[in-house]
């Protein structure tokens, strides 16, 4: 089975590295596949009674570069890849 778009979550854990490796192998079956790697950060919520507190989180560019470097190291052929980095934050939900 050939896929045109493959999405995989990556958080730096061993299991996400295995998932990324499997996604890369699957994408290489079809050179026209688009592999999208999503990096998600779990932001803790603190609930006291009915109040919900979500602390502010800052992600600096060094962290983004570190994740990009980790992903590039996991790719089997980094010369034949294009990596884009984009930040998207979701609204706070209570």
């Amino acid at each position: 089975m050939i896929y045109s778009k493959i999405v995989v979550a990556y958080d730096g854990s061993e299991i996400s590295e295995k998932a990324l490796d499997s996604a890369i192998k699957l994408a290489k079956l079809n050179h026209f596949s688009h592999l999208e790697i999503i990096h998600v950060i779990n932001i803790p919520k603190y609930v006291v009674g009915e109040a919900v507190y979500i602390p502010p989180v800052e992600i600096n560019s060094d962290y983004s570069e570190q994740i990009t470097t980790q992903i590039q190291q996991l790719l089997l052929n980094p010369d034949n890849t294009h990596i884009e980095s984009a930040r998207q934050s979701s609204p706070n939900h209570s």
Side-chain angles (χ1 to χ4, degrees), residues 47-90:
V47 180
V48 179
E50 293 183 21
V52 177
Y53 173 70
I54 302 173
V57 175
E58 288 188 33
I59 300 172
N60 61 31
S61 60
D62 290 340
Y63 179 77
S64 296
E65 289 175 20
Q66 177 186 1
I67 292 298
T68 301
T69 300
Q70 286 177 3
I71 291 170
Q72 285 174 331
Q73 290 172 352
L74 293 171
L75 294 172
L76 300 177
N77 187 1
D79 296 333
N80 194 24
T81 59
H82 174 71
I83 297 178
E84 292 181 20
S85 177
R87 279 191 225 165
Q88 181 177 7
S89 58
S90 61

Side-chain angles (χ1 to χ4, degrees), residues 14-79:
E14 183 179 337
I15 193 76
S16 71
E17 288 182 14
K18 289 179 181 180
L20 179 57
D21 185 52
S22 295
I24 291 168
K25 289 176 183 175
L26 189 60
K28 286 188 175 239
L29 293 175
N30 178 9
H31 295 286
F32 299 103
S33 292
H34 175 83
L35 176 60
E36 192 158 324
I37 304 166
I38 308 294
H39 178 71
V40 180
I41 300 170
N42 186 20
I43 300 173
K45 293 181 183 177
Y46 301 99
V47 180
V48 179
E50 293 183 21
V52 177
Y53 173 70
I54 302 173
V57 175
E58 288 188 33
I59 300 172
N60 61 31
S61 60
D62 290 340
Y63 179 77
S64 296
E65 289 175 20
Q66 177 186 1
I67 292 298
T68 301
T69 300
Q70 286 177 3
I71 291 170
Q72 285 174 331
Q73 290 172 352
L74 293 171
L75 294 172
L76 300 177
N77 187 1
D79 296 333

